[in-house]
Amino acid sequence: MANRMLSTPSYNRKFGLEKRLPYKKGKVLDRKNGQKRLSNFLKAISGSKVLKLDFEIDAPIIDERYIDSLRGNQLKINEDALDSILCLYIAALYRLGIKSTTFGTVESGYIYVPQKY
């Protein structure tokens, strides 16, 4: 099993969520709303004191109107793009040595969960 840097616990802890965002499974409207919430969380990282994340102003993948316009496979492609941004951010926090909890092992795979800061 490959090491995993992104998981529901990672973004739940980072963004203070009680449960997972429904942006991967479920009804199309729920997935779109979940993607819009996730994109808003990603935009909020731009104010982080630990590691800032900046987007170009016209980055469509985080634009709510763009997300609302998506259909079919395009919604899945946007989901993957949002996942990749969050995964990269979590990996960068790991590389910076941000205090974390790790579940699993190197041999069987693990999940890195940064502490809320």
Side-chain angles (χ1 to χ4, degrees):
M1 176 188 258
N3 297 341
R4 296 185 307 176
M5 300 300 284
L6 173 66
S7 70
T8 298
S10 292
Y11 70 75
N12 282 9
R13 182 167 292 162
K14 172 65 185 135
F15 301 123
L17 301 173
E18 297 281 325
K19 58 184 182 177
R20 74 170 186 86
L21 290 174
Y23 73 100
K24 288 183 169 276
K25 296 181 180 179
K27 297 177 182 177
V28 171
L29 181 60
D30 293 338
R31 292 173 54 209
K32 286 182 181 184
N33 287 336
Q35 283 190 28
K36 289 188 288 190
R37 283 193 65 202
L38 179 56
S39 70
N40 286 325
F41 287 132
L42 292 172
K43 287 184 244 183
I45 293 173
S46 66
S48 172
K49 293 178 181 164
V50 175
L51 178 64
K52 294 183 182 203
L53 181 63
D54 290 324
F55 293 97
E56 292 184 22
I57 292 173
D58 61 349
I61 63 171
I62 59 169
D63 181 82
E64 289 190 20
R65 289 173 294 177
Y66 175 74
I67 293 169
D68 278 333
S69 75
L70 298 174
R71 302 284 181 263
N73 195 44
Q74 294 301 312
L75 189 60
K76 172 67 172 139
I77 291 169
N78 204 68
E79 169 198 315
D80 291 343
L82 292 171
D83 271 348
S84 68
I85 293 167
L86 185 54
C87 190
L88 179 62
Y89 189 79
I90 299 295
L93 292 175
Y94 173 82
R95 182 68 177 108
L96 287 173
I98 300 300
K99 186 176 177 180
S100 67
T101 303
T102 303
F103 300 95
T105 65
V106 170
E107 296 78 27
S108 65
Y110 63 90
I111 297 172
Y112 166 80
V113 182
Q115 300 298 308
K116 194 171 182 185
Y117 52 87

